[in-house]
Amino acid sequence: MKIDRYLIQDTDGKILSKLDPDDTGGFKSKGEAEAKMNKLKDRLAELQDIFFAQKGHALLIVLQGMDSSGKDGTVKHVFSGINPQGFTVTSFKKPTLDESAHDFLWRVHKQTPAKGYISAFNRSHYEDVLVPRVHGDQEKAETKRRFKQIRYFEEMLTEENTLIIKLFLHISKEKQLEKIQERLQDPTKHWKFDVSDLEERKFWDDYQEAYEDIFKETSTTNAPWYWIPANHRWYRNYLALAIVVKTLEKLDLAYPKLNSPTPDISELISPRH
Amino acid sequence: MKIDRYLIQDTDGKILSKLDPDDTGGFKSKGEAEAKMNKLKDRLAELQDIFFAQKGHALLIVLQGMDSSGKDGTVKHVFSGINPQGFTVTSFKKPTLDESAHDFLWRVHKQTPAKGYISAFNRSHYEDVLVPRVHGDQEKAETKRRFKQIRYFEEMLTEENTLIIKLFLHISKEKQLEKIQERLQDPTKHWKFDVSDLEERKFWDDYQEAYEDIFKETSTTNAPWYWIPANHRWYRNYLALAIVVKTLEKLDLAYPKLNSPTPDISELISPRH
Protein backbone atom coordinates (compact mmCIF):
# COMPACT_ATOMS: atom_id res chain seq x y z
CA MET A 1 0.00 0.00 0.00
CA LYS A 2 1.66 3.18 -1.16
CA ILE A 3 0.29 6.14 0.70
CA ASP A 4 2.51 8.59 -1.16
CA ARG A 5 0.03 8.51 -4.00
CA TYR A 6 -2.32 10.49 -1.79
CA LEU A 7 0.23 13.07 -0.71
CA ILE A 8 -0.47 16.58 -1.96
CA GLN A 9 2.78 18.21 -3.01
CA ASP A 10 3.76 21.21 -5.12
CA THR A 11 0.30 21.82 -6.42
CA ASP A 12 -0.58 24.48 -8.95
CA GLY A 13 -3.81 25.21 -7.13
CA LYS A 14 -5.90 23.22 -9.58
CA ILE A 15 -5.68 19.76 -8.25
CA LEU A 16 -9.07 18.78 -6.82
CA SER A 17 -10.81 18.19 -10.13
CA LYS A 18 -8.11 15.63 -10.98
CA LEU A 19 -8.60 13.63 -7.81
CA ASP A 20 -11.26 10.96 -7.95
CA PRO A 21 -13.46 10.82 -4.83
CA ASP A 22 -14.57 7.34 -5.93
CA ASP A 23 -11.02 5.96 -5.89
CA THR A 24 -10.66 2.72 -3.92
CA GLY A 25 -6.94 2.20 -4.31
CA GLY A 26 -7.28 -1.04 -6.23
CA PHE A 27 -9.61 -2.74 -3.76
CA LYS A 28 -12.52 -4.37 -5.51
CA SER A 29 -14.85 -4.60 -2.56
CA LYS A 30 -15.49 -3.51 0.99
CA GLY A 31 -14.93 -7.05 2.23
CA GLU A 32 -11.47 -7.17 0.73
CA ALA A 33 -10.49 -4.02 2.63
CA GLU A 34 -12.09 -5.09 5.90
CA ALA A 35 -9.76 -7.97 6.67
CA LYS A 36 -6.78 -5.69 6.13
CA MET A 37 -8.44 -2.99 8.19
CA ASN A 38 -8.69 -5.29 11.20
CA LYS A 39 -5.01 -6.12 10.98
CA LEU A 40 -4.15 -2.43 10.76
CA LYS A 41 -6.26 -1.72 13.83
CA ASP A 42 -4.33 -4.30 15.83
CA ARG A 43 -1.11 -2.79 14.56
CA LEU A 44 -2.23 0.69 15.60
CA ALA A 45 -3.00 -0.56 19.11
CA GLU A 46 0.47 -2.14 19.34
CA LEU A 47 2.25 0.98 18.10
CA GLN A 48 0.20 3.26 20.32
CA ASP A 49 1.16 1.29 23.40
CA ILE A 50 4.86 1.85 22.72
CA PHE A 51 4.29 5.45 21.64
CA PHE A 52 2.52 6.14 24.93
CA ALA A 53 5.17 4.39 27.01
CA GLN A 54 8.06 6.10 25.24
CA LYS A 55 6.65 9.64 25.35
CA GLY A 56 9.13 10.77 22.70
CA HIS A 57 6.67 12.26 20.22
CA ALA A 58 3.13 13.53 19.94
CA LEU A 59 0.91 12.90 16.91
CA LEU A 60 -1.66 15.36 15.62
CA ILE A 61 -4.16 14.33 12.96
CA VAL A 62 -6.10 17.17 11.35
CA LEU A 63 -9.37 16.22 9.65
CA GLN A 64 -10.93 18.60 7.19
CA GLY A 65 -13.51 18.22 4.46
CA MET A 66 -16.79 19.57 3.14
CA ASP A 67 -19.93 19.09 5.26
CA SER A 68 -20.97 15.40 5.22
CA SER A 69 -17.56 14.28 3.99
CA GLY A 70 -17.36 11.91 6.95
CA LYS A 71 -15.13 13.52 9.56
CA ASP A 72 -17.16 12.11 12.47
CA GLY A 73 -17.32 8.68 10.87
CA THR A 74 -13.59 8.62 10.25
CA VAL A 75 -12.86 9.37 13.90
CA LYS A 76 -15.27 6.68 14.99
CA HIS A 77 -14.10 3.92 12.68
CA VAL A 78 -10.37 4.61 12.57
CA PHE A 79 -9.89 5.15 16.28
CA SER A 80 -12.35 2.87 18.00
CA GLY A 81 -10.03 0.20 19.29
CA ILE A 82 -7.36 2.67 20.30
CA ASN A 83 -6.61 2.99 24.01
CA PRO A 84 -8.65 6.09 24.84
CA GLN A 85 -6.25 6.98 27.64
CA GLY A 86 -3.69 8.13 25.08
CA PHE A 87 -6.08 9.67 22.59
CA THR A 88 -8.17 12.81 22.45
CA VAL A 89 -10.55 14.26 19.90
CA THR A 90 -11.27 17.97 19.68
CA SER A 91 -14.19 19.16 17.59
CA PHE A 92 -13.76 22.82 16.80
CA LYS A 93 -17.07 24.61 16.50
CA LYS A 94 -17.92 28.25 15.98
CA PRO A 95 -15.52 30.18 18.25
CA THR A 96 -16.86 31.40 21.59
CA LEU A 97 -16.65 35.08 22.52
CA ASP A 98 -13.53 34.41 24.56
CA GLU A 99 -11.92 32.47 21.73
CA SER A 100 -12.72 35.20 19.20
CA ALA A 101 -11.06 37.73 21.45
CA HIS A 102 -7.74 35.90 20.94
CA ASP A 103 -5.69 35.12 17.85
CA PHE A 104 -7.12 32.22 15.84
CA LEU A 105 -4.38 29.78 16.89
CA TRP A 106 -4.96 30.30 20.61
CA ARG A 107 -7.72 27.76 21.11
CA VAL A 108 -6.01 25.33 18.76
CA HIS A 109 -2.67 25.44 20.54
CA LYS A 110 -4.33 24.60 23.85
CA GLN A 111 -5.58 21.31 22.39
CA THR A 112 -2.36 20.05 20.80
CA PRO A 113 -1.29 16.65 22.12
CA ALA A 114 1.36 16.12 24.81
CA LYS A 115 4.21 13.70 24.10
CA GLY A 116 2.95 10.14 24.10
CA TYR A 117 -0.50 11.24 23.03
CA ILE A 118 -2.40 11.12 19.76
CA SER A 119 -4.97 13.81 19.01
CA ALA A 120 -7.48 14.16 16.24
CA PHE A 121 -8.82 17.57 15.30
CA ASN A 122 -12.29 17.36 13.82
CA ARG A 123 -12.11 20.66 11.96
CA SER A 124 -9.22 22.91 12.98
CA HIS A 125 -7.42 26.21 12.43
CA TYR A 126 -8.03 25.61 8.73
CA GLU A 127 -11.64 26.66 9.25
CA ASP A 128 -10.21 30.13 9.84
CA VAL A 129 -8.97 30.34 6.27
CA LEU A 130 -12.19 28.84 4.91
CA VAL A 131 -15.41 30.18 6.39
CA PRO A 132 -14.51 33.89 6.75
CA ARG A 133 -12.92 33.76 3.34
CA VAL A 134 -15.87 32.19 1.55
CA HIS A 135 -18.30 34.52 3.26
CA GLY A 136 -16.40 37.55 2.18
CA ASP A 137 -15.18 39.25 5.30
CA GLN A 138 -11.57 38.11 5.13
CA GLU A 139 -9.27 40.17 2.96
CA LYS A 140 -6.72 38.49 0.71
CA ALA A 141 -3.82 39.92 2.68
CA GLU A 142 -5.24 38.48 5.87
CA THR A 143 -5.67 35.00 4.39
CA LYS A 144 -2.09 35.18 3.16
CA ARG A 145 -0.84 36.25 6.57
CA ARG A 146 -2.73 33.42 8.24
CA PHE A 147 -1.21 30.88 5.86
CA LYS A 148 2.21 32.09 6.95
CA GLN A 149 1.23 31.97 10.62
CA ILE A 150 -0.06 28.44 10.18
CA ARG A 151 3.19 27.34 8.52
CA TYR A 152 5.26 28.82 11.35
CA PHE A 153 2.99 27.34 14.00
CA GLU A 154 3.11 23.86 12.49
CA GLU A 155 6.86 24.15 11.95
CA MET A 156 7.33 24.91 15.63
CA LEU A 157 5.16 21.97 16.63
CA THR A 158 7.08 19.54 14.42
CA GLU A 159 10.45 20.90 15.62
CA GLU A 160 9.27 20.18 19.14
CA ASN A 161 8.44 16.56 18.28
CA THR A 162 4.79 16.68 17.25
CA LEU A 163 4.15 14.76 14.06
CA ILE A 164 1.39 16.33 11.98
CA ILE A 165 -0.78 14.64 9.37
CA LYS A 166 -3.51 16.59 7.63
CA LEU A 167 -6.28 14.66 5.94
CA PHE A 168 -8.68 16.17 3.45
CA LEU A 169 -11.77 14.01 3.02
CA HIS A 170 -12.67 14.40 -0.62
CA ILE A 171 -16.29 13.75 -1.63
CA SER A 172 -18.20 14.68 -4.75
CA LYS A 173 -21.03 17.21 -4.73
CA GLU A 174 -23.49 14.45 -5.68
CA LYS A 175 -22.35 12.29 -2.80
CA GLN A 176 -22.86 15.16 -0.38
CA LEU A 177 -26.48 15.46 -1.42
CA GLU A 178 -26.96 11.71 -1.02
CA LYS A 179 -25.63 11.93 2.52
CA ILE A 180 -27.85 14.89 3.39
CA GLN A 181 -30.81 12.84 2.16
CA GLU A 182 -29.73 9.95 4.37
CA ARG A 183 -29.77 12.24 7.37
CA LEU A 184 -33.30 13.32 6.57
CA GLN A 185 -34.57 9.80 6.01
CA ASP A 186 -32.91 7.83 8.78
CA PRO A 187 -34.36 8.66 12.24
CA THR A 188 -31.06 7.67 13.90
CA LYS A 189 -29.37 10.37 11.82
CA HIS A 190 -31.88 13.21 12.14
CA TRP A 191 -29.76 14.82 14.83
CA LYS A 192 -26.94 15.24 12.35
CA PHE A 193 -29.06 17.23 9.95
CA ASP A 194 -28.41 20.94 10.01
CA VAL A 195 -30.39 23.16 7.72
CA SER A 196 -27.37 25.44 7.33
CA ASP A 197 -25.60 22.61 5.48
CA LEU A 198 -28.00 23.23 2.60
CA GLU A 199 -27.11 26.90 2.66
CA GLU A 200 -23.38 26.23 2.71
CA ARG A 201 -23.77 23.81 -0.20
CA LYS A 202 -24.46 26.78 -2.43
CA PHE A 203 -20.87 27.88 -1.81
CA TRP A 204 -19.42 24.53 -2.89
CA ASP A 205 -17.14 25.97 -5.58
CA ASP A 206 -15.85 28.72 -3.31
CA TYR A 207 -14.94 26.21 -0.66
CA GLN A 208 -13.15 23.99 -3.17
CA GLU A 209 -11.17 26.97 -4.35
CA ALA A 210 -10.26 27.91 -0.80
CA TYR A 211 -9.04 24.36 -0.24
CA GLU A 212 -6.89 24.55 -3.35
CA ASP A 213 -5.09 27.52 -1.78
CA ILE A 214 -4.76 25.75 1.53
CA PHE A 215 -3.00 22.85 -0.16
CA LYS A 216 -0.74 25.17 -2.11
CA GLU A 217 0.22 27.24 0.90
CA THR A 218 0.36 24.77 3.75
CA SER A 219 1.29 21.32 2.48
CA THR A 220 4.84 21.20 3.81
CA THR A 221 7.29 18.33 4.15
CA ASN A 222 6.78 18.18 7.89
CA ALA A 223 3.07 18.80 7.95
CA PRO A 224 1.76 17.38 4.68
CA TRP A 225 -1.77 17.21 3.37
CA TYR A 226 -3.15 13.92 2.13
CA TRP A 227 -6.35 13.68 0.12
CA ILE A 228 -8.64 10.85 1.09
CA PRO A 229 -11.17 9.66 -1.50
CA ALA A 230 -14.29 9.68 0.64
CA ASN A 231 -17.22 8.66 -1.53
CA HIS A 232 -16.81 5.11 -0.21
CA ARG A 233 -16.83 5.16 3.55
CA TRP A 234 -14.90 1.90 3.85
CA TYR A 235 -12.02 3.08 1.71
CA ARG A 236 -11.95 6.43 3.45
CA ASN A 237 -11.56 4.65 6.81
CA TYR A 238 -9.03 2.18 5.52
CA LEU A 239 -6.81 4.81 3.94
CA ALA A 240 -6.92 7.21 6.90
CA LEU A 241 -5.95 4.36 9.21
CA ALA A 242 -3.17 3.21 6.87
CA ILE A 243 -1.67 6.71 6.82
CA VAL A 244 -1.69 6.92 10.61
CA VAL A 245 -0.05 3.51 10.95
CA LYS A 246 2.63 4.24 8.31
CA THR A 247 3.43 7.53 10.01
CA LEU A 248 3.95 5.84 13.37
CA GLU A 249 6.00 3.07 11.79
CA LYS A 250 8.56 5.58 10.54
CA LEU A 251 9.43 6.42 14.14
CA ASP A 252 12.07 4.66 16.15
CA LEU A 253 9.65 3.29 18.71
CA ALA A 254 10.81 1.21 21.65
CA TYR A 255 9.63 0.57 25.17
CA PRO A 256 11.72 2.52 27.70
CA LYS A 257 14.06 0.54 29.89
CA LEU A 258 14.07 0.66 33.68
CA ASN A 259 15.81 3.91 34.58
CA SER A 260 17.43 2.43 37.66
CA PRO A 261 18.88 -0.96 38.59
CA THR A 262 16.17 -3.55 39.14
CA PRO A 263 15.25 -3.31 42.81
CA ASP A 264 15.45 -6.46 44.86
CA ILE A 265 11.94 -7.14 46.04
CA SER A 266 12.62 -10.67 47.23
CA GLU A 267 12.50 -9.56 50.86
CA LEU A 268 8.91 -8.51 50.33
CA ILE A 269 7.94 -11.95 49.12
CA SER A 270 7.36 -13.66 52.41
CA PRO A 271 4.25 -14.75 54.24
CA ARG A 272 4.50 -11.66 56.39
CA HIS A 273 3.57 -9.41 53.48
CA MET B 1 -26.23 -9.99 36.33
CA LYS B 2 -27.05 -8.14 39.51
CA ILE B 3 -24.73 -5.22 39.94
CA ASP B 4 -26.38 -4.15 43.19
CA ARG B 5 -24.33 -6.78 44.96
CA TYR B 6 -21.31 -4.55 44.38
CA LEU B 7 -22.92 -1.36 45.58
CA ILE B 8 -21.41 0.05 48.76
CA GLN B 9 -24.20 1.36 50.97
CA ASP B 10 -24.54 2.30 54.63
CA THR B 11 -21.20 0.92 55.62
CA ASP B 12 -19.91 0.84 59.17
CA GLY B 13 -16.40 1.67 57.99
CA LYS B 14 -15.25 -1.92 58.22
CA ILE B 15 -16.26 -3.37 54.94
CA LEU B 16 -13.13 -4.04 52.88
CA SER B 17 -12.01 -7.13 54.73
CA LYS B 18 -15.37 -8.72 53.97
CA LEU B 19 -15.11 -8.12 50.21
CA ASP B 20 -13.31 -10.83 48.27
CA PRO B 21 -10.92 -9.45 45.61
CA ASP B 22 -10.95 -12.90 44.00
CA ASP B 23 -14.71 -12.85 43.44
CA THR B 24 -15.74 -13.69 39.87
CA GLY B 25 -19.48 -13.28 40.23
CA GLY B 26 -20.26 -16.90 39.45
CA PHE B 27 -18.23 -17.08 36.25
CA LYS B 28 -16.12 -20.20 36.12
CA SER B 29 -13.64 -19.04 33.53
CA LYS B 30 -12.35 -16.11 31.57
CA GLY B 31 -13.73 -17.57 28.36
CA GLU B 32 -17.21 -17.69 29.78
CA ALA B 33 -17.07 -13.97 30.56
CA GLU B 34 -15.50 -12.98 27.26
CA ALA B 35 -18.45 -13.82 25.04
CA LYS B 36 -20.71 -11.76 27.27
CA MET B 37 -18.14 -8.98 27.36
CA ASN B 38 -18.23 -8.64 23.58
CA LYS B 39 -22.00 -8.34 23.60
CA LEU B 40 -21.80 -5.70 26.31
CA LYS B 41 -19.26 -3.73 24.28
CA ASP B 42 -21.60 -3.67 21.29
CA ARG B 43 -24.39 -2.59 23.59
CA LEU B 44 -22.25 0.22 25.02
CA ALA B 45 -21.48 1.49 21.50
CA GLU B 46 -25.20 1.50 20.67
CA LEU B 47 -26.17 3.32 23.84
CA GLN B 48 -23.34 5.82 23.51
CA ASP B 49 -24.47 6.78 20.01
CA ILE B 50 -27.94 7.73 21.29
CA PHE B 51 -26.51 9.33 24.44
CA PHE B 52 -24.27 11.53 22.27
CA ALA B 53 -27.08 12.42 19.86
CA GLN B 54 -29.54 13.23 22.63
CA LYS B 55 -27.22 15.36 24.76
CA GLY B 56 -29.54 15.06 27.72
CA HIS B 57 -27.05 13.77 30.29
CA ALA B 58 -23.35 13.48 30.95
CA LEU B 59 -21.73 10.42 32.52
CA LEU B 60 -18.74 10.57 34.85
CA ILE B 61 -16.91 7.40 35.85
CA VAL B 62 -14.45 7.76 38.72
CA LEU B 63 -11.78 5.08 38.98
CA GLN B 64 -9.89 4.65 42.21
CA GLY B 65 -7.83 1.87 43.71
CA MET B 66 -4.46 1.02 45.20
CA ASP B 67 -1.37 1.22 42.98
CA SER B 68 -1.39 -1.64 40.43
CA SER B 69 -5.10 -2.30 40.97
CA GLY B 70 -5.62 -1.91 37.23
CA LYS B 71 -7.03 1.55 36.62
CA ASP B 72 -5.18 1.95 33.32
CA GLY B 73 -6.13 -1.54 32.18
CA THR B 74 -9.78 -0.96 33.01
CA VAL B 75 -9.88 2.20 30.90
CA LYS B 76 -8.20 0.38 28.03
CA HIS B 77 -10.33 -2.75 28.03
CA VAL B 78 -13.71 -1.32 28.97
CA PHE B 79 -13.61 1.66 26.65
CA SER B 80 -11.71 0.55 23.60
CA GLY B 81 -14.53 0.19 21.12
CA ILE B 82 -16.29 3.32 22.29
CA ASN B 83 -16.52 6.22 19.85
CA PRO B 84 -13.64 8.37 21.09
CA GLN B 85 -15.37 11.51 19.89
CA GLY B 86 -17.78 11.30 22.81
CA PHE B 87 -15.34 10.05 25.41
CA THR B 88 -12.49 11.56 27.40
CA VAL B 89 -10.10 10.22 29.99
CA THR B 90 -8.41 12.44 32.53
CA SER B 91 -5.50 11.09 34.56
CA PHE B 92 -4.99 13.22 37.61
CA LYS B 93 -1.35 13.36 38.66
CA LYS B 94 0.40 15.29 41.39
CA PRO B 95 -1.13 18.81 41.23
CA THR B 96 0.85 21.51 39.43
CA LEU B 97 1.76 24.74 41.23
CA ASP B 98 -1.18 26.48 39.60
CA GLU B 99 -3.57 23.69 40.58
CA SER B 100 -2.32 23.67 44.18
CA ALA B 101 -2.96 27.41 44.39
CA HIS B 102 -6.69 26.70 43.89
CA ASP B 103 -9.19 24.68 45.88
CA PHE B 104 -8.83 20.94 45.30
CA LEU B 105 -12.01 20.69 43.20
CA TRP B 106 -10.91 23.36 40.72
CA ARG B 107 -8.94 21.17 38.36
CA VAL B 108 -11.50 18.40 38.68
CA HIS B 109 -14.48 20.56 37.81
CA LYS B 110 -12.77 21.73 34.62
CA GLN B 111 -12.63 18.12 33.37
CA THR B 112 -16.22 17.09 34.06
CA PRO B 113 -18.04 15.91 30.94
CA ALA B 114 -20.43 18.05 28.90
CA LYS B 115 -23.89 16.68 28.13
CA GLY B 116 -23.67 13.88 25.60
CA TYR B 117 -20.18 12.96 26.75
CA ILE B 118 -18.75 10.19 28.88
CA SER B 119 -15.64 10.84 30.94
CA ALA B 120 -13.44 8.55 32.96
CA PHE B 121 -11.31 9.93 35.76
CA ASN B 122 -8.22 7.83 36.33
CA ARG B 123 -7.68 8.95 39.94
CA SER B 124 -9.71 11.97 40.99
CA HIS B 125 -10.58 14.39 43.77
CA TYR B 126 -10.56 11.34 46.05
CA GLU B 127 -6.76 11.42 45.97
CA ASP B 128 -7.11 14.62 48.00
CA VAL B 129 -8.62 12.74 50.91
CA LEU B 130 -6.11 9.90 50.56
CA VAL B 131 -2.50 10.92 50.01
CA PRO B 132 -2.30 13.99 52.32
CA ARG B 133 -4.23 12.07 54.93
CA VAL B 134 -2.04 8.97 54.89
CA HIS B 135 1.10 11.05 54.91
CA GLY B 136 0.00 12.96 57.92
CA ASP B 137 -0.34 16.54 56.86
CA GLN B 138 -4.12 16.65 56.65
CA GLU B 139 -5.98 17.23 59.89
CA LYS B 140 -9.13 15.28 60.70
CA ALA B 141 -11.27 18.39 60.51
CA GLU B 142 -9.97 19.13 57.04
CA THR B 143 -10.68 15.63 55.77
CA LYS B 144 -14.18 15.89 57.18
CA ARG B 145 -14.72 19.26 55.53
CA ARG B 146 -13.51 17.90 52.20
CA PHE B 147 -15.93 14.96 52.43
CA LYS B 148 -18.74 17.46 52.82
CA GLN B 149 -17.45 19.56 49.93
CA ILE B 150 -17.23 16.47 47.74
CA ARG B 151 -20.81 15.48 48.60
CA TYR B 152 -22.08 18.96 47.73
CA PHE B 153 -20.05 19.08 44.52
CA GLU B 154 -21.28 15.70 43.34
CA GLU B 155 -24.84 16.56 44.35
CA MET B 156 -24.70 19.67 42.19
CA LEU B 157 -23.33 17.70 39.25
CA THR B 158 -26.06 15.08 39.47
CA GLU B 159 -28.77 17.72 39.88
CA GLU B 160 -27.48 19.25 36.67
CA ASN B 161 -27.77 15.95 34.78
CA THR B 162 -24.37 14.35 35.22
CA LEU B 163 -24.62 10.71 36.23
CA ILE B 164 -21.77 9.65 38.51
CA ILE B 165 -20.45 6.15 39.07
CA LYS B 166 -17.50 5.59 41.36
CA LEU B 167 -15.56 2.36 41.02
CA PHE B 168 -13.11 1.10 43.59
CA LEU B 169 -10.81 -1.54 42.14
CA HIS B 170 -10.23 -3.93 45.00
CA ILE B 171 -7.07 -6.05 44.91
CA SER B 172 -5.33 -8.01 47.63
CA LYS B 173 -1.93 -7.05 48.99
CA GLU B 174 -0.43 -10.26 47.58
CA LYS B 175 -1.81 -9.51 44.13
CA GLN B 176 -0.27 -6.06 44.21
CA LEU B 177 3.16 -7.54 44.79
CA GLU B 178 2.63 -9.98 41.95
CA LYS B 179 1.81 -7.12 39.61
CA ILE B 180 4.83 -5.09 40.71
CA GLN B 181 6.96 -8.14 39.93
CA GLU B 182 5.38 -8.38 36.49
CA ARG B 183 6.36 -4.80 35.79
CA LEU B 184 9.94 -5.56 36.72
CA GLN B 185 10.14 -8.71 34.66
CA ASP B 186 8.29 -7.77 31.47
CA PRO B 187 10.28 -5.31 29.31
CA THR B 188 7.03 -3.98 27.79
CA LYS B 189 5.94 -3.03 31.31
CA HIS B 190 9.15 -1.54 32.69
CA TRP B 191 7.86 1.96 32.01
CA LYS B 192 5.02 1.37 34.43
CA PHE B 193 7.34 0.57 37.30
CA ASP B 194 7.75 3.35 39.80
CA VAL B 195 10.01 2.80 42.76
CA SER B 196 7.71 4.97 44.90
CA ASP B 197 5.04 2.26 44.55
CA LEU B 198 7.20 0.10 46.83
CA GLU B 199 7.38 2.94 49.33
CA GLU B 200 3.63 3.53 49.25
CA ARG B 201 3.01 -0.18 49.74
CA LYS B 202 4.25 0.21 53.31
CA PHE B 203 1.21 2.37 53.96
CA TRP B 204 -1.24 -0.28 52.69
CA ASP B 205 -3.30 -0.43 55.88
CA ASP B 206 -3.52 3.34 56.20
CA TYR B 207 -4.81 3.61 52.64
CA GLN B 208 -7.38 0.90 53.21
CA GLU B 209 -8.58 2.71 56.29
CA ALA B 210 -8.81 5.99 54.39
CA TYR B 211 -10.89 4.24 51.72
CA GLU B 212 -13.23 2.89 54.41
CA ASP B 213 -13.96 6.48 55.43
CA ILE B 214 -14.41 7.57 51.83
CA PHE B 215 -17.07 4.89 51.33
CA LYS B 216 -18.80 5.82 54.56
CA GLU B 217 -18.82 9.53 53.83
CA THR B 218 -19.34 9.76 50.10
CA SER B 219 -21.33 6.78 48.84
CA THR B 220 -24.60 8.56 48.17
CA THR B 221 -27.71 7.47 46.28
CA ASN B 222 -26.86 9.71 43.36
CA ALA B 223 -23.13 9.16 43.30
CA PRO B 224 -22.63 5.64 44.64
CA TRP B 225 -19.43 3.68 45.11
CA TYR B 226 -19.16 0.18 43.68
CA TRP B 227 -16.39 -2.20 44.65
CA ILE B 228 -14.88 -4.17 41.80
CA PRO B 229 -13.07 -7.40 42.64
CA ALA B 230 -9.85 -6.81 40.74
CA ASN B 231 -7.57 -9.77 41.34
CA HIS B 232 -8.79 -11.24 38.04
CA ARG B 233 -8.37 -8.71 35.27
CA TRP B 234 -11.09 -10.24 33.11
CA TYR B 235 -13.72 -10.07 35.79
CA ARG B 236 -12.69 -6.56 36.75
CA ASN B 237 -13.18 -5.45 33.14
CA TYR B 238 -16.41 -7.33 32.71
CA LEU B 239 -17.99 -5.94 35.87
CA ALA B 240 -16.90 -2.34 35.27
CA LEU B 241 -18.36 -2.51 31.77
CA ALA B 242 -21.59 -4.10 33.03
CA ILE B 243 -22.06 -1.31 35.58
CA VAL B 244 -21.57 1.37 32.91
CA VAL B 245 -24.05 -0.33 30.56
CA LYS B 246 -26.68 -0.84 33.28
CA THR B 247 -26.36 2.79 34.31
CA LEU B 248 -26.96 4.01 30.77
CA GLU B 249 -29.86 1.59 30.32
CA LYS B 250 -31.74 3.21 33.19
CA LEU B 251 -31.96 6.44 31.18
CA ASP B 252 -34.76 7.27 28.83
CA LEU B 253 -32.53 7.37 25.75
CA ALA B 254 -33.90 8.21 22.32
CA TYR B 255 -32.58 9.80 19.16
CA PRO B 256 -33.76 13.40 18.82
CA LYS B 257 -36.31 14.13 16.13
CA LEU B 258 -35.89 16.73 13.41
CA ASN B 259 -36.59 20.05 15.08
CA SER B 260 -38.21 21.51 11.98
CA PRO B 261 -40.41 20.15 9.20
CA THR B 262 -38.43 18.00 6.77
CA PRO B 263 -37.10 20.37 4.13
CA ASP B 264 -37.93 19.63 0.55
CA ILE B 265 -34.62 18.99 -1.16
CA SER B 266 -36.11 17.53 -4.34
CA GLU B 267 -35.32 20.70 -6.25
CA LEU B 268 -31.65 20.09 -5.54
CA ILE B 269 -31.77 16.63 -7.07
CA SER B 270 -31.36 17.57 -10.68
CA PRO B 271 -28.50 17.25 -13.14
CA ARG B 272 -27.72 20.90 -12.56
CA HIS B 273 -26.44 20.19 -9.04
Side-chain angles (χ1 to χ4, degrees), chain A residues 115-126:
Chain A
K115 284 177 199 165
Y117 288 78
I118 301 176
S119 287
F121 282 180
N122 185 341
R123 304 185 186 272
S124 66
H125 43 302
Y126 286 98

Side-chain angles (χ1 to χ4, degrees), chain B residues 237-255:
Chain B
N237 296 337
Y238 171 82
L239 182 59
L241 177 56
I243 291 172
V244 172
V245 167
K246 292 268 169 181
T247 303
L248 289 173
E249 278 179 340
K250 277 182 219 153
L251 291 173
D252 199 14
L253 291 176
Y255 283 106

Side-chain angles (χ1 to χ4, degrees), chain A residues 24-40:
Chain A
T24 56
F27 281 118
K28 289 197 188 66
S29 70
K30 185 177 167 178
E32 209 183 303
E34 260 171 0
K36 286 207 171 181
M37 178 104 185
N38 287 332
K39 273 194 188 164
L40 276 178

Side-chain angles (χ1 to χ4, degrees), chain A residues 12 27 30 37 41 72 102 129 154 165 186 191 258:
Chain A
D12 58 357
F27 281 118
K30 185 177 167 178
M37 178 104 185
K41 277 197 168 187
D72 292 345
H102 291 83
V129 282
E154 293 181 350
I165 316 170
D186 179 349
W191 64 284
L258 279 177

Side-chain angles (χ1 to χ4, degrees), chain A:
Chain A
M1 157 94 231
K2 281 177 106 47
I3 60 168
D4 285 359
R5 243 192 85 196
Y6 298 96
L7 200 56
I8 300 181
Q9 275 173 320
D10 306 320
T11 109
D12 58 357
K14 280 178 189 133
I15 191 185
L16 277 176
S17 62
K18 293 172 222 151
L19 305 177
D20 179 10
D22 275 312
D23 179 292
T24 56
F27 281 118
K28 289 197 188 66
S29 70
K30 185 177 167 178
E32 209 183 303
E34 260 171 0
K36 286 207 171 181
M37 178 104 185
N38 287 332
K39 273 194 188 164
L40 276 178
K41 277 197 168 187
D42 291 345
R43 182 73 181 130
L44 175 60
E46 253 172 51
L47 291 164
Q48 186 208 7
D49 198 59
I50 314 176
F51 188 81
F52 187 75
Q54 191 182 39
K55 295 204 166 39
H57 292 84
L59 172 60
L60 172 62
I61 300 145
V62 171
L63 286 165
Q64 287 286 153
M66 304 295 280
D67 291 330
S68 315
S69 59
K71 296 179 287 295
D72 292 345
T74 304
V75 170
K76 179 173 172 175
H77 293 288
V78 171
F79 299 108
S80 68
I82 207 166
N83 182 349
Q85 183 139 284
F87 183 68
T88 59
V89 187
T90 308
S91 298
F92 290 97
K93 314 275 181 194
K94 203 167 174 299
T96 63
L97 284 176
D98 190 31
E99 287 169 351
S100 301
H102 291 83
D103 67 84
F104 75 105
L105 294 169
W106 180 73
R107 64 173 188 161
V108 173
H109 203 163
K110 287 207 283 186
Q111 303 298 332
T112 52
K115 284 177 199 165
Y117 288 78
I118 301 176
S119 287
F121 282 180
N122 185 341
R123 304 185 186 272
S124 66
H125 43 302
Y126 286 98
E127 292 293 311
D128 299 292
V129 282
L130 279 168
V131 187
R133 182 176 160 183
V134 165
H135 291 290
D137 43 8
Q138 187 173 80
E139 287 183 23
K140 271 198 168 167
E142 190 179 354
T143 312
K144 209 173 155 60
R145 191 172 68 235
R146 287 191 172 189
F147 282 145
K148 180 197 70 184
Q149 291 161 341
I150 288 174
R151 284 193 305 267
Y152 287 0
F153 172 63
E154 293 181 350
E155 181 177 305
M156 181 276 290
L157 289 178
T158 55
E159 285 168 353
E160 300 298 320
N161 288 339
T162 297
L163 307 175
I164 305 177
I165 316 170
K166 299 180 291 197
L167 307 179
F168 173 72
L169 307 187
H170 183 41
I171 53 164
S172 62
K173 199 174 177 191
E174 296 71 35
K175 190 70 185 183
Q176 187 193 53
L177 192 59
E178 236 178 74
K179 291 180 112 180
I180 291 175
Q181 276 181 290
E182 262 177 48
R183 290 178 180 185
L184 286 169
Q185 281 157 7
D186 179 349
T188 73
K189 289 184 176 166
H190 281 172
W191 64 284
K192 292 191 168 193
F193 175 75
D194 185 340
V195 76
S196 72
D197 291 355
L198 288 173
E199 274 311 301
E200 286 303 296
R201 184 173 158 79
K202 296 178 186 156
F203 298 91
W204 178 276
D205 293 341
D206 299 318
Y207 274 108
Q208 298 275 307
E209 204 186 308
Y211 270 114
E212 294 276 13
D213 282 349
I214 285 175
F215 301 147
K216 202 164 72 178
E217 298 282 346
T218 67
S219 199
T220 59
T221 313
N222 285 325
W225 278 102
Y226 292 90
W227 69 281
I228 308 279
N231 273 7
H232 299 286
R233 286 182 176 88
W234 55 269
Y235 189 64
R236 174 199 76 197
N237 296 337
Y238 171 82
L239 181 59
L241 176 56
I243 290 171
V244 172
V245 167
K246 292 270 167 176
T247 303
L248 289 173
E249 277 179 340
K250 278 182 219 153
L251 291 173
D252 200 14
L253 292 176
Y255 282 106
K257 302 203 189 324
L258 279 177
N259 55 8
S260 51
T262 309
D264 180 9
I265 61 168
S266 57
E267 61 181 78
L268 295 174
I269 304 163
S270 77
R272 229 168 31 83
H273 292 272

